[in-house]
Amino acid sequence: MLVVMDKNATPAQVEAVVAKVESLGFAAQPMPGGERVAVAILRNPGPVDPSLFLDMPGVLQAIPVTRPYKLVSREVKREDTILHLADGVELGRGRFVVMAGPCAVESEIQALTIAARVKASGAQVFRGGAYKPRTSPYSYQGLGKAGLKILQKVRQETGLLIVTEAVDHDSLKLVAEYADIIQIGARNMQNFTLLRRAGQLGKPVLLKRGMYATLEEWFMAAEYIMAEGNPQVVLCERGVRAIGEHARNLLDLATVPAVRRESHLPIMVDPSHAAGRRDLVSPLARAAVAAGCDGLLIEVHHEPEKAMSDGAQSLYPDQFDQLMRDIQTLRPGGWN
Ligand code: PEP
Ligand code: MN
């Protein structure tokens, strides 16, 4: 249920609705909109009687929410969410953001070299894992805290914002200290305690789609973050398990318009982890932009043949630069 307040409702009237919801044993989350505040009722096991609220001062409407996800849903919030990243960078409808960099932070010189190139090509955010969730325990696991310190240096030297992945509760605390955007990877999309904690830190969260996740499961994962009071979530499609060997995963571009229809959250695309091969990345990225996504996450490496992880799918900086030019023409009106 969504209790929609009148345009002129006072903060005290909103508070009274919140108190009423809590007195019923449910949770309430006020959601300020462009014109009016709405109060979402959460944790109610069944339908709530609208007449409990309709007579309260300042209440305009009480609308049942039919979807299992509430805060994520366009039923609850019609306007597109714009994420306010650090340094005035915005992400969301009409505010396109490119995040680029290596799969993993390997050394200071590696990170700074790649960062300078992706910045020159127009990326606003640097990506690079300090904690790597690897399929094999024998594969490179990342530099950990030392990697975060390198990312901090990248930020200081280039002004690029930082997105990096947290893989568990310990790394989450550190990532939140160093990163501008916390990445939750495909393998952790349903790590519910991690999602809750990520929702408590007050930093934007980039939530990858799990490799077997339906749209509804993905939305419910975002709901975990938002239910902790953090509305700053961006979804990122990165491909799902598929048949055939021609690509690592199947990039599901139908999610771009489908997410747009069902949710107000921004939707990004990561063609790199879908492709698994460098030659597929730019065509998929162009298709994602044409489909209307709000941003791209792209792996770039200056020496991919020496990369500690995902070298085969990392673009050379020149290829990334060409891609950035190509997508300009796909976005009439430029970047924003
Ligand atoms: C990554 O972006 O570095 C990554 C591991 O991606 P995913 O979680 O989509 O596999
Ligand atoms: Mn990778």
Side-chain angles (χ1 to χ4, degrees):
M1 168 93 60
L2 188 68
V3 181
V4 182
M5 305 300 294
D6 193 81
K7 264 203 298 248
N8 304 316
T10 64
Q13 288 169 339
V14 176
E15 266 313 304
V17 169
V18 170
K20 172 91 169 204
V21 173
E22 287 171 355
S23 75
L24 295 166
F26 311 140
Q29 190 150 309
M31 307 180 61
E35 280 224 309
R36 53 182 94 246
V37 178
V39 180
I41 303 182
L42 306 171
R43 305 189 209 283
N44 48 310
V48 180
D49 180 0
S51 67
L52 289 168
F53 299 95
L54 288 175
D55 290 341
M56 294 182 72
V59 171
L60 184 70
Q61 275 177 302
I63 308 171
V65 178
T66 57
R67 304 289 196 274
Y69 37 89
K70 315 267 178 221
L71 301 171
V72 166
S73 164
R74 255 200 212 281
E75 282 187 311
V76 167
K77 180 169 181 270
R78 291 175 55 158
E79 317 91 67
D80 293 302
T81 287
I82 304 291
L83 263 56
H84 300 281
L85 309 178
D87 299 348
V89 178
E90 294 184 320
L91 164 62
R93 196 68 172 269
R95 288 138 166 111
F96 196 84
V97 171
V98 177
M99 308 184 184
C103 180
V105 177
E106 298 164 11
S107 68
E108 189 172 305
I109 184 76
Q110 174 247 19
L112 286 170
T113 303
I114 300 168
R117 295 297 305 271
V118 300
K119 175 160 173 134
S121 300
Q124 294 113 306
V125 181
F126 185 74
R127 65 144 290 144
Y131 299 90
K132 293 306 303 173
R134 302 305 300 278
T135 303
S136 164
Y138 309 119
S139 299
Y140 181 66
Q141 305 285 313
L143 292 176
K145 190 166 179 184
L148 295 176
K149 291 204 179 293
I150 292 173
L151 289 170
Q152 186 178 40
K153 182 110 193 238
V154 167
R155 197 185 194 295
Q156 281 162 359
E157 300 226 338
T158 64
L160 289 166
L161 304 187
I162 301 296
V163 59
T164 194
E165 181 169 351
V167 293
D168 52 26
H169 291 197
D170 293 340
S171 57
L172 178 63
K173 265 197 216 131
L174 284 166
V175 162
E177 274 175 44
Y178 287 85
D180 298 290
I181 306 160
I182 299 166
Q183 180 173 326
I184 303 288
R187 292 157 192 80
N188 268 318
M189 190 207 83
Q190 286 190 311
N191 183 337
F192 299 118
T193 59
L194 190 64
L195 295 171
R196 275 196 208 283
R197 290 268 178 99
Q200 291 160 3
L201 297 170
K203 283 242 161 135
V205 178
L206 184 153
L207 178 64
K208 293 274 194 101
R209 181 184 182 188
M211 53 191 87
Y212 300 100
T214 64
L215 211 58
E216 184 169 315
E217 288 163 343
W218 193 13
F219 287 154
M220 292 309 261
E223 188 82 13
Y224 265 92
I225 300 168
M226 296 181 75
E228 296 301 317
N230 183 357
Q232 301 267 290
V233 178
V234 52
L235 300 169
C236 183
E237 163 66 36
R238 47 79 74 203
V240 288
R241 275 287 154 92
I243 51 169
E245 302 297 320
H246 63 287
R248 184 173 172 185
N249 290 293
L250 175 67
L251 185 63
D252 181 4
L253 286 181
T255 55
V256 174
V259 165
R260 187 81 80 207
R261 189 183 58 230
E262 282 295 313
S263 174
H264 52 86
L265 294 176
I267 167 79
M268 291 184 57
V269 173
D270 165 1
S272 304
H273 290 87
R277 289 170 31 177
R278 187 173 309 123
D279 62 317
L280 304 184
V281 172
S282 293
L284 291 177
R286 295 194 301 262
V289 174
C293 67
D294 297 308
L296 290 171
L297 186 74
I298 309 269
E299 287 188 342
V300 179
H301 202 294
H302 65 308
E303 291 177 326
E305 50 297 319
K306 294 191 193 154
M308 302 295 281
S309 68
D310 286 350
Q313 70 197 28
S314 299
L315 293 185
Y316 287 95
D318 285 346
Q319 293 176 310
F320 176 69
D321 192 67
Q322 183 60 50
L323 173 62
M324 292 295 275
R325 289 167 206 272
D326 292 346
I327 58 180
Q328 289 271 14
T329 63
L330 291 168
R331 302 195 70 254
W335 290 108
N336 292 314

